[in-house]
Amino acid sequence: EIALATVVQVHLSTPRLPGARLGMTRSGHMAGSVSGGCVEADVFERAVQVLDTRKPTPVKYGIADELAFQVGLSCGGSIEVLIEPFVPDSAWEALRQAVERQQPAAFAIGLTPPTLRGRKLTVLERGEWADSIDPSLDRHVAVEGHRLLKAGGTKVVSLPWREGEANVFVEGFPPSPGLFIVGAT
């Protein structure tokens, strides 16, 4: 079993940007980072709970109160992290294939409301998408994802949904640039 933590929003100065990820197993193996070491131990404890409940959980970390014994960032900013069980579904598979083929893609994860949290959608270059956050939102999320295909970057998109609002984290995965060295001697 694997839990995946993703930085979905940052405020002010932070050690990692949105899209930073930390993968963890129940046995304590970790790969990646969401804060450069400031909050990883707490993220791991919460990830074990997420693996038990199978429910994606948002967590916000900011500067720790000097008088409290809590986990926090020392850089003055705050990060919002989504911790979820990793399930290699059709959205992840479409993203993996696009990245391996050096084709641009965008990956979206539902954040709020809780009924959408953890639902995924991968947007491909030809305007197609894999999986679904919600049928009434998918086309709007795909438009936002398509904007990030070539340039990359991240964005939290707020969209009207039912009687309220849905927030979706969207990340662009452009192809890696090539480097050609030409010359002699």
Side-chain angles (χ1 to χ4, degrees), residues 29-179:
H29 289 87
M30 293 191 223
S33 174
V34 294
S35 74
C38 301
V39 300
E40 271 71 1
D42 188 70
V43 171
F44 175 77
E45 287 180 26
R46 291 173 188 263
V48 171
Q49 295 170 355
V50 165
L51 290 174
D52 290 341
T53 64
R54 307 301 297 166
K55 292 183 181 178
T57 303
V59 184
K60 185 173 183 176
Y61 295 98
I63 190 163
D65 182 353
E66 293 175 341
L67 302 174
F69 295 101
Q70 65 185 50
V71 175
L73 300 176
S74 60
C75 51
S78 65
I79 59 173
E80 294 179 32
V81 178
L82 179 65
I83 306 169
E84 58 186 330
F86 175 74
V87 178
D89 53 23
S90 58
W92 277 110
E93 182 59 23
L95 178 63
R96 183 190 65 77
Q97 287 178 8
V99 168
E100 284 179 355
R101 294 178 183 147
Q102 289 289 305
Q103 297 171 340
F107 189 67
I109 305 170
L111 300 176
T112 61
T115 54
L116 298 178
R117 187 172 296 135
R119 293 188 188 182
K120 295 168 187 60
L121 176 86
T122 296
V123 180
L124 303 171
E125 186 175 29
R126 296 178 305 275
E128 304 163 342
W129 63 79
D131 222 329
S132 175
I133 291 175
D134 181 87
S136 65
L137 297 174
D138 291 344
R139 183 166 307 285
H140 302 289
V141 173
V143 167
E144 293 296 331
H146 207 268
R147 291 180 181 147
L148 297 174
L149 282 177
K150 299 211 191 267
T154 64
K155 182 177 186 180
V156 173
V157 180
S158 296
L159 299 165
W161 187 69
R162 296 188 180 168
E163 292 83 38
E165 186 175 73
N167 290 296
V168 179
F169 173 73
V170 184
E171 180 177 10
F173 289 85
S176 298
L179 173 65

